[in-house]
Amino acid sequence: MPIIKVLSSLDAARIQWYHFKAIIVAGMGLFTDAYDLFCIAPVMKMISHVYYHGDSINTAVLSTSYAIALLGTAMGQVVFGYLGDRVGRRRVYGLCLIIMILSSFGCGFSVCTTKRSCVMVSLGFFRFILGLGIGGDYPLSATIMSEFANKRTRGAFIAAVFSMQGLGILVSSAVTMAVCVAFKRGGGGGLEAEGVAPAEADVAWRLILMIGALPAALTFYWRMLMPETARYTALVENNIVQAAKDMQRVMSISHFSDETTMEPPPPPPPPPPSYKLFSRRFFHLHGRDLFAASVNWFLVDVVFYTSNLLLSQIFSHYSDNPSSSKAENIYDAAFEVAELGAIIAACSTIPGYWFTVYFIDKIGRVKIQIMGFFFMAVVYLVAGIPYHYYWSKHEQSNKGFMVLYGLVFFFSNFGPNTTTFIIPAELFPARFRSTCHGISGAAGKLGAIVGTVGFLWATKKVDNKDDVNQVYPQVNRMRVCFLILGGVCIAGIFVTYFFTKETMGRSLEENEHEQDGNDDESEDEPQIVHGQSSASTLLQTR
């Protein structure tokens, strides 16, 4: 049957140029996400000088600015993930990119140039909208790549899409440093009288935010040319012939070309789904997988986003010019934060992504995820218990701590931060795949909110009664934070070991068939042939 040949041909297809093109086009949403995540720290540093005259931004304002974008991302993952299953991946995909582009420019054009409350509200609004677009891109990018890829290298392709985050981090740091150097040389860069930042600094942070929209905008044309995935067209829309034609248009697949040249008979009406989303049978078949994917993503994002927030705060101690000084150069303050991000990205984050790309289809998702959680837990415990020793005045211990902390980012990305993005795109049936990925990702962003907001408030300095809140890594509090993060990683090991299924080397239909085949309520359905989804079997029996 044509449908079997379409899907089996995709699973057996050789690696070709369209796969790499799809990686770049699909990865731009992840690029924008990482760009925004890593540029916001130096941007907030600049805003503190421009609108707060060098004082640290109020903890409530700072935590809200971080949480609002994450909340938008969580909402976008659920809403656009659901729409991706209802109206098609391709249609929603373009909308998400438009939202990201327009909201990135909107962040730069945040209204007001004098009232800080007005600026922060406007910036928060556009970052929330940006989060919606980024959130929608998560489930759609993973689902589209999983449905285009062959089963031998599917994990590597999805991991390569996710690795565009690493490029986003590096570009974010490079752009921030370049803008800071250019404005410093062009305008003197020093603070004006009475600690007031130079007027052009208000343009610099806006420019940094807007530049992040350009790579995504450049891929808009190619994203609009992408066809709907064959699995969605064949299994959800029940248009087998169109699925074959779409794949022949963009990929070199000849196994089914002869059958699709003949005039097809009128297609039968689509069979009703055997069960609905969130029905009792859905939870019987997929509840465990949805639980594991959501909880693991929640746990790793608690760790990952907290670690990123800790980064600039921890290493402010190591800097010769502490970032808390009001007399420092505004551009140097942002430059130092961006430089640190670039070093971590180049030495730890990006290698971690590409280790996963290389090993994901050799070792397996579950083993890499357990390994990542384990080594992150070890690093946090080793760094947290003797934390006071590392932050003594000995230069060697400081350097040792930097190496240790860099390993967190390596094993996060050569581990659960990447695998939690991959696994939900492989476990669920085509008609629920994008929705379930979005739900899992939204759980992760809730974990990110817990981590970032919780850390900001847990490490708030309360010495000053005037509510001038400065986040600073006091030794005892930081030790507790590290031990908690280590405990979160240990919890991730147990959830992965007991609840997460391996998907390596299996087609998407085989993963679905394994779960449907164990269902006791399928007596009245046609017999399922090994390697075929229940939806494809129903099509063949018509």
Side-chain angles (χ1 to χ4, degrees), residues 373-536:
F373 271 129
F374 173 78
F375 282 109
M376 288 167 67
V378 169
V379 170
Y380 276 119
L381 295 177
V382 170
I385 295 173
Y387 182 75
H388 184 271
Y389 168 77
Y390 287 116
W391 279 133
S392 64
K393 296 182 179 180
H394 301 290
E395 184 177 349
Q396 286 300 117
S397 63
N398 281 336
K399 290 182 178 179
F401 185 86
M402 291 176 68
V403 173
L404 266 180
Y405 200 71
L407 290 176
V408 170
F409 294 94
F410 176 81
F411 285 110
S412 175
N413 293 300
F414 184 34
N417 190 46
T418 304
T419 54
T420 51
F421 179 80
I422 296 172
I423 292 172
E426 300 178 312
L427 279 176
F428 303 100
R431 64 182 182 275
F432 303 138
R433 188 168 293 137
S434 180
T435 302
C436 292
H437 193 286
I439 292 171
S440 304
K445 290 302 172 280
L446 294 179
I449 293 173
V450 170
T452 54
V453 175
F455 166 76
L456 284 169
W457 284 96
T459 58
K460 185 182 76 169
K461 205 170 185 179
V462 294
D463 306 358
N464 197 332
K465 297 180 180 180
D466 296 328
D467 196 32
V468 179
N469 302 321
Q470 180 184 4
V471 178
Y472 186 81
Q474 299 179 31
V475 172
N476 291 333
R477 292 182 179 182
M478 290 302 298
R479 180 184 289 116
V480 172
C481 284
F482 273 61
L483 295 180
I484 290 174
L485 292 176
V488 170
C489 293
I490 292 172
I493 295 173
F494 282 100
V495 174
T496 303
Y497 182 80
F498 288 106
F499 296 101
T500 304
K501 297 176 182 176
E502 182 57 71
T503 57
M504 179 180 67
R506 301 167 60 87
S507 72
L508 299 178
E509 288 67 48
E510 285 174 327
N511 289 326
E512 179 185 352
H513 163 65
E514 178 186 34
Q515 295 159 0
D516 284 353
N518 294 328
D519 182 29
D520 296 330
E521 301 175 23
S522 59
E523 297 178 357
D524 297 331
E525 295 181 6
Q527 184 178 0
I528 297 175
V529 181
H530 181 70
Q532 300 173 19
S533 68
S534 57
S536 62

Side-chain angles (χ1 to χ4, degrees), residues 116-441:
R116 66 189 186 189
S117 60
C118 183
V119 171
M120 296 305 291
V121 169
S122 177
L123 180 60
F125 170 77
F126 284 112
R127 292 198 73 229
F128 176 80
I129 302 300
L130 175 62
L132 289 175
I134 290 174
D137 213 78
Y138 265 77
L140 294 171
S141 292
T143 300
I144 287 172
M145 197 67 245
S146 71
E147 293 180 345
F148 272 126
N150 64 63
K151 67 180 182 180
R152 298 186 315 278
T153 58
R154 184 179 61 238
F157 285 150
I158 305 174
V161 170
F162 196 67
S163 73
M164 294 295 286
Q165 279 195 335
L167 182 60
I169 296 168
L170 206 57
V171 172
S172 170
S173 299
V175 167
T176 301
M177 290 188 289
V179 169
C180 288
V181 170
F183 275 78
K184 181 180 178 180
R185 291 179 178 177
L191 293 175
E192 296 180 356
E194 300 180 359
V196 179
E200 63 270 15
D202 193 44
V203 178
W205 68 265
R206 297 171 186 269
L207 183 61
I208 292 170
L209 290 173
M210 288 191 290
I211 289 175
L214 296 180
L218 292 175
T219 63
F220 179 76
Y221 173 76
W222 288 277
R223 186 172 285 202
M224 292 297 95
L225 292 181
M226 292 181 72
E228 185 57 81
T229 68
R231 285 183 163 90
Y232 183 85
T233 304
L235 297 176
V236 181
E237 294 184 336
N238 193 27
N239 193 339
I240 303 168
V241 175
Q242 186 61 46
K245 289 181 178 179
D246 286 342
M247 290 304 96
Q248 285 179 303
R249 183 162 58 90
V250 297
M251 298 176 69
S252 176
I253 302 177
S254 59
H255 301 296
F256 52 87
S257 58
D258 295 336
E259 296 191 37
T260 55
T261 55
M262 299 182 294
E263 187 68 25
S274 55
Y275 54 92
K276 295 182 179 180
L277 182 67
F278 300 143
S279 64
R280 180 178 299 178
R281 188 177 177 196
F282 171 85
F283 283 113
H284 174 70
L285 295 174
H286 309 293
R288 171 181 167 174
D289 294 333
L290 186 59
F291 168 80
S294 300
V295 172
N296 280 324
W297 208 329
F298 177 91
L299 294 174
V300 72
D301 271 10
V302 169
V303 177
F304 183 73
Y305 281 79
T306 305
S307 299
N308 284 311
L309 193 60
L310 281 165
L311 188 60
S312 61
Q313 302 299 334
I314 289 175
F315 288 98
S316 64
H317 178 87
Y318 188 72
S319 174
D320 294 331
N321 299 308
S323 59
S324 59
S325 174
K326 294 183 183 180
E328 72 177 343
N329 184 294
I330 179 175
Y331 301 118
D332 287 344
F335 187 95
E336 286 183 2
V337 176
E339 183 182 35
L340 181 60
I343 292 172
I344 293 293
C347 297
S348 298
T349 305
I350 294 176
Y353 284 124
W354 287 101
F355 265 68
T356 304
V357 171
Y358 183 78
F359 287 107
I360 189 71
D361 291 310
K362 295 177 172 52
I363 298 176
R365 287 75 161 141
V366 172
K367 289 181 181 178
I368 288 178
Q369 187 160 300
I370 291 176
M371 178 200 67
F373 271 129
F374 173 78
F375 282 109
M376 288 167 67
V378 169
V379 170
Y380 276 119
L381 295 177
V382 170
I385 295 173
Y387 182 75
H388 184 271
Y389 168 77
Y390 287 116
W391 279 133
S392 64
K393 296 182 179 180
H394 301 290
E395 184 177 349
Q396 286 300 117
S397 63
N398 281 336
K399 290 182 178 179
F401 185 86
M402 291 176 68
V403 173
L404 266 180
Y405 200 71
L407 290 176
V408 170
F409 294 94
F410 176 81
F411 285 110
S412 175
N413 293 300
F414 184 34
N417 190 46
T418 304
T419 54
T420 51
F421 179 80
I422 296 172
I423 292 172
E426 300 178 312
L427 279 176
F428 303 100
R431 64 182 182 275
F432 303 138
R433 188 168 293 137
S434 180
T435 302
C436 292
H437 193 286
I439 292 171
S440 304

